[in-house]
Amino acid sequence: TLKLPLGDIQAEQFHQIADLARKYAGGRARITHQQNISLRWVPEAALYELWEELNRIGFGDAGHHEVTDVVSCPGTDSCKLGITASMGLARAVGQTLEDMNITDPLVRQMHVKMSGCPNGCGQHHIADIGFHGAAAKAPGGQVPAYELFLGGSYEGGDARIGLRTRTKIPAKRVPEAIKRLIGFYQERRADGELFKDFA
């Protein structure tokens, strides 16, 4: 599986991936619901060579389906229903998570997702930590904000809608909120306790 940050890919990279799919995966590729691309049936002997080719075109990074693989809908970038610019926030959150250099396996398996409005196209309601766009009152007027959801899940036959905290976090404070939530979880969890159960 190729990690496409926020599902973004350039036209020339699409052609390069198509070439690699023809060479290594029988000409087939799948777009995943996590905004990545999956190449199936690659022979084990060809994996290293494929990985080198993916590195050459910018898609060799590890971490797909982990905490740094943030999912977001387009928000106000292209959606008329969007309240907030969720793609921009997702980039900031992804960078914050990368900068944290997380090695804790229980944190690495968490999922962070956001939507630019309550409709849920970014799957925020089934994330360990999810956000949906809103507006909050501030001294100068309204500011973009996000409502917080905790403890959602969609894996291992344990589907759960996250708990809505009824908390609005100003968009600029969301990366700091992520750091604090993860730190709180690491400090207070029971041994081996998954975030969804902790929440």
Side-chain angles (χ1 to χ4, degrees):
T1 300
L2 289 62
K3 180 180 173 183
L4 275 60
L6 300 177
D8 283 346
I9 185 169
Q10 300 299 315
E12 65 275 7
Q13 291 172 314
F14 238 135
H15 289 289
Q16 292 166 326
I17 288 174
D19 290 341
L20 294 176
R22 280 190 285 274
K23 184 174 179 181
Y24 296 104
R28 295 177 184 224
R30 299 282 186 266
I31 297 173
T32 74
H33 67 290
Q34 299 301 313
Q35 300 177 330
N36 293 314
I37 291 181
S38 182
L39 301 175
R40 300 183 67 199
W41 314 117
V42 176
E44 193 170 328
L47 287 175
Y48 183 75
E49 185 179 326
L50 172 59
W51 177 69
E52 286 183 320
E53 291 290 325
L54 290 170
N55 273 324
R56 186 179 56 76
I57 63 173
F59 290 117
D61 290 346
H64 79 279
H65 208 55
E66 291 184 356
V67 72
T68 58
D69 194 8
V70 178
V71 172
S72 172
C73 73
T76 55
D77 285 4
S78 64
C79 179
K80 291 182 180 185
L81 299 175
I83 299 169
T84 57
S86 52
M87 291 283 280
L89 179 65
R91 284 185 196 89
V93 166
Q95 189 59 57
T96 296
L97 292 166
E98 291 283 354
D99 293 346
M100 290 173 68
N101 294 317
I102 297 166
T103 56
D104 181 341
L106 291 177
V107 175
R108 288 191 65 84
Q109 70 181 2
M110 289 171 58
H111 304 292
V112 178
K113 301 175 186 291
M114 57 198 62
S115 302
C117 76
N119 286 328
C121 297
Q123 308 167 20
H124 66 271
H125 50 288
I126 58 170
D128 290 288
I129 301 175
F131 299 95
H132 83 60
K137 292 180 183 176
Q142 288 190 337
V143 296
Y146 286 83
E147 291 203 26
L148 175 63
F149 290 73
L150 297 172
S153 175
Y154 57 94
E155 293 181 308
D158 183 22
R160 300 183 194 186
I161 301 294
L163 303 168
R164 181 176 171 221
T165 64
R166 289 180 169 68
T167 301
K168 288 185 182 175
I169 302 171
K172 290 185 177 187
R173 302 293 304 272
V174 169
E176 181 62 26
I178 290 273
K179 283 184 187 178
R180 289 183 181 206
L181 282 165
I182 290 173
F184 184 75
Y185 165 59
Q186 289 177 307
E187 289 169 17
R188 305 279 182 102
R189 73 183 182 214
D191 188 37
E193 186 176 26
L194 297 175
F195 186 86
K196 63 186 176 183
D197 299 323
F198 176 80

